[in-house]
Amino acid sequence: MASKEKYCKDYLVVDAKQASLYDIACILICSTNSLNDKFFYEERCEGSNKSTTKENLLRRWLIFNSVLAQKFLIWADTPMAKIGSFIELWLNLLACNGGFFGLVMNYVRGKMVRPSSEKFVSIVGELDSRLELDKSIAKGDGRYNSSLSMMASKLCYESKAFVKAAVEDHLKMEFIDSYEFRNDYKNTIRTHASMFQDQKSNPNLIAVAFRGTLPFNANDWMTDFDISWYELKDMSNSQTIGRIHGGFMKALGLQKIDGWPKELDPTKEQSFAYYMIRHKLKEILEKNLNAKFIVTGHSLGGALAILFAGVLGLHEETWLLKRLEGVYTFGQPRVGDERFGRYMMKIIKDHDVKYFRYVYGNDMVPRLPYDDRSLFFKHFGPSLYFNSFYHGKVMEEEPNKNYFSLVWVVPKYINAFWELIRSFILPYWKGKEYKEKNFEKLYRIFGMIVPGVAAHSPKDYMDITSLGTDLYTNHDENDE
């Protein structure tokens, strides 16, 4: 999305696929100049912040762990995919045949039911099977757009056939399409998004949802662990707008020439997420001048959603930004540095775009990458933080901002235990529609081993949009 000469200044690019074990070890003990230049290349321009010895050591340690994790994921790609497919198929067969006993009986009788593509549910979908919005939330309610956004984010994990059926049959809205996009750095399909339209709302509302990280998709996890970054400049005045997470930008549609970002190749426009979605939005909105759109996503999808708005600003897409009703993210990781945050808040203010960044409980993902001088990543805009009792509060930063604090170890385990107990009593407390299946409870048990993992589930984010405090009925988040 940017050329070396026009936009990029400082940068750090790490390609784990090209790294040998020697290269990985050298991150800790060698000069960066001795590293394989196909794996690691960095430019720190004159005037850049200088690191202390302690900060440099911590930075090397974080890069080492990032590359090591990516190398493991490269090796684990096929096994993870096979394990995930097996679990998904097993769960769907159980659901279609009425449980284990029904599956055995149907198999013996030769009548085993196999799920159709419209009904085949992903592992993420198994963690929350709701396909309709809370009927108590009417259009115009302060919670409606948030609830619709989280539903769109959850549906985006499913197949095109499933999303189409859910949108048309359950939400009673117009399905536009589901898309698969290339990552130019990985030379494969890595990014997914879905679009649908609520034609009954006034104005008509188009939802654009980016898929988050699939639990057994090694490529998604590699995008999350990739801590490469680029420093970009504003197109209008050549001023630096900040450093941006390279893994997320690559997923959104960053292209390369010898590792550098580059301008769009018009012949490949439909291959990349940002350009195709921008084109599709213009096409629809030009036919309906009263319509607006929202951009949303859960996890990795939330990072892509807010960066989509940021790149619209970078490309001076004023007309589209004026039609952007809001960006709704759920469990979104940090995407850039403090300077980029100031740039984004200016775009949000100048174009009157609402930005809702939801964080539930001890969810690990919004607290990553680390917010410190070694990696510089910071959130921007207030956090809509909800605890495990669904009580919400607008905060500058969610509690325990870097997750791995020793002070929070005991409280996190206590809260994970409470969330498991809550899974049994929630239908009696809040209503039968909140009943959790056995698989969801099993996931809660895993959350007691690694607190913060289960809290990242779309289930909890769906619940806070309906059960949580409506924080913004009388509050303008951009004035915080």
Side-chain angles (χ1 to χ4, degrees), residues 1 208-210 232 234-235 241 244 248-249 252-253 273-275 277-278 281 293-297 300-329 332 335 340-356 380 478:
M1 293 173 196
V208 179
F210 289 95
L232 303 182
D234 193 313
M235 294 178 69
I241 67 170
I244 304 178
F248 300 151
M249 287 294 283
L252 190 61
Y274 167 78
Y275 301 104
I277 292 174
R278 183 183 66 175
L281 282 170
F293 70 100
I294 56 177
V295 186
T296 186
L300 165 63
L304 299 184
I306 190 60
L307 285 176
F308 179 83
V311 179
L312 286 179
L314 180 66
H315 287 178
E316 300 178 318
E317 293 286 355
T318 302
W319 185 80
L320 274 179
L321 285 168
K322 291 296 183 184
R323 309 291 290 276
L324 176 56
E325 187 277 336
V327 179
Y328 297 77
T329 70
Q332 169 211 316
V335 299
F340 178 68
R342 292 195 296 269
Y343 168 79
M344 284 301 305
M345 293 309 293
K346 184 178 187 303
I347 290 177
I348 287 168
K349 182 178 180 181
D350 289 350
H351 299 282
D352 194 26
V353 175
K354 299 180 180 66
Y355 175 37
F356 300 85
F380 51 88
N478 297 327

Side-chain angles (χ1 to χ4, degrees), residues 123-130 419-420 423 434-447 454 457 459-460 463:
I123 290 178
V124 174
E126 291 287 354
L127 293 173
D128 184 73
S129 58
R130 287 170 290 184
E419 288 173 334
L420 176 62
S423 68
Y434 297 101
K435 181 179 180 180
E436 296 190 11
K437 298 184 295 185
N438 291 333
F439 181 65
E440 296 172 66
K441 293 171 182 174
L442 183 64
Y443 191 57
R444 298 284 185 197
I445 294 173
F446 179 74
S457 165
K459 168 71 168 62
D460 289 317
D463 286 348

Side-chain angles (χ1 to χ4, degrees), residues 160-176:
K160 180 175 181 177
F162 186 99
V163 177
K164 184 176 188 298
V167 168
E168 294 177 348
D169 299 340
H170 294 274
L171 297 181
K172 308 299 182 184
M173 298 179 186
E174 179 191 1
F175 174 72
I176 297 175

